[in-house]
Amino acid sequence: GNLLVLPLSAVLVLLWARASNTPYTSLGFATPRSWVLTAIIGVLSGIAFKLAMKAVVMPLLGADPVNVRYHYITGNAAALPGILYAVVIGAGFGEETVFRSFLFERLGRLLGSGHGARTAIVLVTAMLFALAHYPDQGVPGMEQAAVTGMVFGGIYACTGQIWLPMIMHAAFDVTAVGVIYRGWEADIAHWFFP
């Protein structure tokens, strides 16, 4: 399913860009000033963002401390290669290329590049991102995707570069996998709210 669809969707976006003579830079694929700094900031902020979502935001939204949909990962080393591929390549690369790079470029052509247009694009793409998570993760996954979509979209709207949201997204999801694998979900979800 999604293991192939998301990376293929991203590849199709890149092929579309080439065929339509859309510069990759207009999709956010511009070289950052520092790859090392972008990677460090992306990884650290992705980890911190996931922990904040798990410990503060999701409890405030009434989410179950344990993500039942992905509970099968807990202690399941055999599941790790597939799920890590899914979150790094499928989500980090695939979702960011589709929901940020492609949709921002297309909606930007439609709505313009002003502050109001960029705000609308962040909100629309976050809503679409949330809806895309409903079939697999239900309402809690949709709520989390709405928040992350606004954050990743906001970063992309401000920087015009996809690398930071892409690295953040991958780090966010790898952290989620690690937390579930180690069985730490309930503990983290109760750091601030007993």
Side-chain angles (χ1 to χ4, degrees), residues 47-186:
I47 292 168
F49 185 27
K50 176 58 197 176
L51 294 175
M53 287 294 293
K54 189 70 182 172
V56 180
V57 178
M58 296 312 291
L60 286 174
L61 293 173
D64 189 324
V66 173
N67 185 333
V68 178
R69 170 67 181 88
Y70 291 101
H71 191 65
Y72 74 92
I73 298 168
T74 306
N76 183 356
L80 290 178
I83 195 72
L84 288 172
Y85 164 82
V87 301
V88 173
I89 304 300
F93 172 68
E95 288 180 344
E96 289 306 309
T97 300
V98 172
F99 286 95
R100 258 56 77 184
S101 294
F102 179 70
L103 288 178
F104 269 69
E105 193 279 340
R106 295 283 79 197
L107 291 169
R109 292 271 173 138
L110 186 66
L111 302 174
S113 59
H115 183 71
R118 284 202 319 262
T119 301
I121 292 168
V122 169
L123 294 174
V124 167
T125 57
M127 183 188 69
L128 293 171
F129 189 59
L131 290 171
H133 284 75
Y134 180 76
D136 183 49
Q137 299 178 31
V139 172
M142 210 168 91
E143 292 169 337
Q144 178 169 265
V147 175
T148 59
M150 284 188 277
V151 170
F152 298 147
I155 291 168
Y156 182 62
C158 290
T159 66
Q161 295 216 352
I162 197 60
W163 303 113
L164 183 59
M166 210 175 256
I167 294 166
M168 269 184 79
H169 191 156
F172 181 99
D173 285 359
V174 168
T175 302
V177 169
V179 165
I180 296 169
Y181 177 76
R182 300 295 299 179
W184 295 339
E185 281 192 287

Side-chain angles (χ1 to χ4, degrees), residues 27-58:
L27 296 173
F29 289 98
T31 305
R33 267 183 260 158
S34 167
W35 280 106
V36 172
L37 195 58
T38 300
I40 290 169
I41 291 170
V43 168
L44 294 179
S45 55
I47 292 168
F49 185 27
K50 176 58 197 176
L51 294 175
M53 287 294 293
K54 189 70 182 172
V56 180
V57 178
M58 296 312 291

